Amino acid sequence: MKSKTPGQAIGKNQSKKTIIVIVIAAIAVMAVLSKTLFTGNKENGIAAIPSATYEQGKTLAAQYCQSCHLLPDPSLLDKKSWKTLLPEMGLNLGIHTPSVQSIAQEDQGFYPTKPAMTDAEWQSILAYYDAAAPEALQRPAGIVPANPGLPYFSLLPAPDFLVRPNLWASCVKIENSVSPARLFVFDANSQQLFLFSQDGFLDSAHVNGMIVDMQFYNGEIFACSMGNQLRMGADKDRNGSVFPVVVSASGKLQVKAPLFTGLARPVQVLPADMDNDKRTDFLICEFGKLTGSLTLMRNTGTGKYDKKVLRNLPGSVKVQLVRNAQTGLQDVWALFAQGDEAIIRFTNKGNGQFDESTMLRFPPVYGSTSFELADMNNDGFTDIVYACGDNGDGTPILKPYHGVYIYVNDGNNHFTQQYFYPVNGCYKVIARDFRKTGKTDLAVIGYFTDASKPEEWFFYLENKGGLSFNVFGAPPSTGITNALTMDAGDFNGDGKPDLIIGNDFASNNPQRKGPLFIILESVSQ
């Protein structure tokens, strides 16, 4: 064999170095390309998918999802929840997949049959949300836990005959328009409306329907029935109604013939004189399902009503009226909680005409439930107290953004969030000066609570000023773990608001019982 010359040896070493340099350069180029061609890493929780697919999905989501509601960020749900929810949302775009055929069949005729995009485009939206969503949602950090006990109220339980295994209080109301005050409670399980005074039980009446709201106006009582069931049924089920309720001098209940029928799952009725014509009109929140509306029934004075739809979208869940200082008419503030979740102001122009303006909008996964208008920081301007926590959809997981928010008014009806307290499954908030200190406190209930912390169904936020609150939890031994409804009023006649809270209690065990409701009676400190 021939020996290698020094020159030959040096030449081969140089070739090896050249190859190494090329390999290193290739690796660097691949790293750069991977950032260009793929998006995601383990640190930020984003899965690696082709960058073009990611960007296309993000762009298409912004284009199509925002056509109906505020664009939901992928971080608002975990990957598993998006995989369940997005196919249901796809029905609105004419995309029918096998997993949602039962839904499409139940609401046949509502969803478009022609897809709004190609299958490849739809798959890019799915891939984007799957890539960008976290594996699990995290509970917010730094939240001050509730103090034990409730110093400003004493617990009054329901009477013994209303402590049973299966109870469902869908409506509780304190009537302060009469003296002494009266208390109405509806049990959806037995379809019984119960009437109480401070001295105890007065009467009950069977109702063909599910009462979810009662209002007292000019000496009259009006009840709102959602229909034959509380659970959301098919969209064609329009059997809600509004009817008067009469209480005799001896305390006997009588349910009168309906004023309005054929309503789409109404959840609130609000009688008011909207035209200053001395006639009682009615605002009705027809929550519906896929269809619904916020409706005004204008009294013609002839025993008939002209129907005026303020917003022809489902999800109207609560309205409040505010007297307009300039017009003298009452403006309507309404919360919508289905799809396009928002607080809308309807400025009353008279003669059934309203100007619509959006005060706040929320992502469609928030599950808006309640709101109040109150001056929370004592600056003379009305702020918005907002609650979200409805988990009765396709994503029944604990969500860290469920709870109570305070949006502060700058004086020109521009609102910015300046406070949040998390409450799992937050279902209602009531803002009142419960202690008569000049500061507005908050009472909060939770319905979709954490099974591991069932005591977190109630919170009381004592206003310390400067949007700082001392938070108290539920009083012990109430028998409640999921509160469905709540009302405030002076039931004991001491000049301070009391609280009545309705229980959602179902048990197949006859030995396990719960109260239909409890009263938290104000006490002197």
Side-chain angles (χ1 to χ4, degrees):
M1 294 179 65
K2 293 183 179 180
S3 63
K4 297 176 182 177
T5 63
Q8 288 175 320
I10 292 173
K12 289 194 174 183
N13 286 338
Q14 287 177 333
S15 298
K16 289 180 180 178
K17 290 180 179 179
T18 302
I19 292 172
I20 292 172
V21 169
I22 292 173
V23 170
I24 293 174
I27 292 173
V29 170
M30 290 177 65
V32 172
L33 286 174
S34 68
K35 291 183 179 180
T36 304
L37 298 177
F38 296 89
T39 298
N41 57 59
K42 291 183 179 179
E43 293 181 359
N44 62 19
I46 298 178
I49 64 171
S51 180
T53 301
Y54 184 94
E55 293 301 326
Q56 182 188 36
K58 184 177 181 180
T59 300
L60 289 170
Q63 176 183 348
Y64 287 98
C65 299
Q66 282 193 127
S67 63
C68 296
H69 49 65
L70 195 65
L71 179 66
D73 191 271
S75 64
L76 292 174
L77 291 175
D78 58 44
K79 295 181 186 297
K80 182 179 179 181
S81 296
W82 281 123
K83 289 177 181 178
T84 300
L85 184 62
L86 284 173
E88 295 182 15
M89 298 300 99
L91 286 171
N92 295 285
L93 299 172
I95 299 172
H96 295 249
T97 54
S99 64
V100 294
Q101 283 307 306
S102 60
I103 299 175
Q105 184 64 32
E106 182 179 86
D107 298 302
Q108 193 173 16
F110 178 83
Y111 299 108
T113 57
K114 184 179 179 181
M117 65 184 71
T118 66
D119 183 65
E121 290 174 326
W122 174 244
Q123 293 302 320
S124 71
I125 293 179
L126 298 180
Y128 161 65
Y129 273 90
D130 184 62
E135 291 291 342
L137 300 185
Q138 301 297 317
R139 185 145 176 90
I143 300 300
V144 178
N147 297 305
L150 188 59
Y152 305 113
F153 300 89
S154 63
L155 174 64
L156 298 178
D160 291 342
F161 77 95
L162 289 179
V163 180
R164 300 198 298 259
N166 292 293
L167 297 160
W168 199 355
S170 60
C171 181
V172 293
K173 281 289 182 177
I174 297 174
E175 183 186 12
N176 281 129
S177 57
V178 295
S179 182
R182 296 188 294 215
L183 178 64
F184 293 83
V185 181
F186 185 75
D187 175 23
N189 234 8
S190 63
Q191 291 185 263
Q192 291 286 319
L193 177 62
F194 297 95
L195 175 62
F196 300 87
S197 70
Q198 294 178 26
D199 296 326
F201 172 72
L202 293 177
D203 194 21
S204 67
H206 183 268
V207 176
N208 292 321
M210 300 293 179
I211 294 179
V212 291
D213 184 39
M214 296 185 73
Q215 297 290 335
F216 314 101
Y217 184 75
N218 287 346
E220 295 184 280
I221 304 171
F222 300 97
C224 174
S225 168
M226 182 180 284
N228 298 329
Q229 61 178 352
L230 293 182
R231 303 297 184 191
M232 187 177 290
D235 207 63
K236 62 180 179 294
D237 296 339
R238 299 178 67 93
N239 46 32
S241 60
V242 172
F243 52 87
V245 174
V246 175
V247 179
S248 70
S250 59
K252 297 299 180 181
L253 285 168
Q254 183 181 7
V255 177
K256 308 290 283 188
L259 293 174
F260 311 109
T261 59
L263 303 176
R265 297 186 74 246
V267 294
Q268 185 188 9
V269 57
L270 189 60
D273 181 1
M274 298 301 295
D275 297 311
N276 289 347
D277 59 4
K278 309 299 182 182
R279 295 195 288 260
T280 302
D281 309 305
F282 292 87
L283 284 159
I284 304 174
C285 291
E286 294 187 74
F287 189 94
K289 182 184 177 183
L290 301 174
T291 60
S293 64
L294 175 59
T295 304
L296 171 62
M297 298 293 191
R298 297 182 66 211
N299 193 332
T300 63
T302 63
K304 296 182 180 180
Y305 295 85
D306 286 335
K307 182 177 180 179
K308 167 71 177 180
V309 175
L310 273 65
R311 195 170 193 241
N312 194 24
L313 286 174
S316 57
V317 69
K318 183 178 180 180
V319 292
Q320 287 192 232
L321 299 177
V322 177
R323 182 74 63 181
N324 190 312
Q326 295 180 331
T327 65
L329 299 172
Q330 296 189 93
D331 295 337
V332 179
W333 293 63
L335 173 62
F336 287 80
Q338 181 87 329
D340 187 15
E341 300 193 14
I343 294 177
I344 309 292
R345 178 187 179 184
F346 299 88
T347 303
N348 192 347
K349 310 299 289 185
N351 296 318
Q353 302 300 311
F354 295 84
D355 287 342
E356 178 181 330
S357 53
T358 300
M359 299 291 101
L360 294 170
R361 291 184 82 195
F362 313 100
V365 297
Y366 264 40
S368 302
T369 52
S370 175
F371 83 106
E372 293 273 76
L373 300 175
D375 183 2
M376 295 302 301
N377 55 4
N378 286 1
D379 64 355
F381 303 123
T382 301
D383 308 309
I384 294 176
V385 183
Y386 163 76
C388 61
D390 187 357
N391 249 355
D393 52 23
T395 61
I397 59 173
L398 300 178
K399 300 180 174 75
Y401 42 84
H402 278 176
V404 178
Y405 296 75
I406 296 177
Y407 292 87
V408 173
N409 191 342
D410 68 354
N412 294 304
N413 283 334
H414 299 135
F415 299 90
T416 56
Q417 179 191 329
Q418 294 193 16
Y419 181 82
F420 170 68
Y421 189 84
V423 178
N424 284 316
C426 186
Y427 218 64
K428 189 169 186 177
V429 59
I430 292 180
R432 298 286 188 279
D433 184 2
F434 289 98
R435 298 170 293 125
K436 294 300 178 182
T437 62
K439 295 186 179 71
T440 301
D441 299 339
L442 304 177
V444 185
I445 57 172
Y447 180 63
F448 297 94
T449 55
D450 185 349
S452 67
K453 299 178 181 178
E455 72 279 0
E456 293 187 352
W457 64 269
F458 177 83
F459 293 93
Y460 183 80
L461 280 63
E462 176 192 3
N463 193 341
K464 307 298 290 184
L467 297 182
S468 174
F469 295 86
N470 194 15
V471 183
F472 297 91
S477 305
T478 62
I480 295 180
T481 57
N482 308 85
L484 187 62
T485 187
M486 174 173 60
D487 192 33
D490 184 11
F491 185 59
N492 63 6
D494 68 351
K496 293 189 294 185
D498 308 301
L499 285 166
I500 177 171
I501 300 171
N503 194 4
D504 176 11
F505 185 85
S507 174
N508 294 324
N509 181 1
Q511 303 302 316
R512 186 179 175 219
K513 300 178 180 180
L516 180 61
F517 66 92
I518 63 169
I519 296 176
L520 296 180
E521 185 180 42
S522 60
V523 296
S524 301
Q525 294 292 309

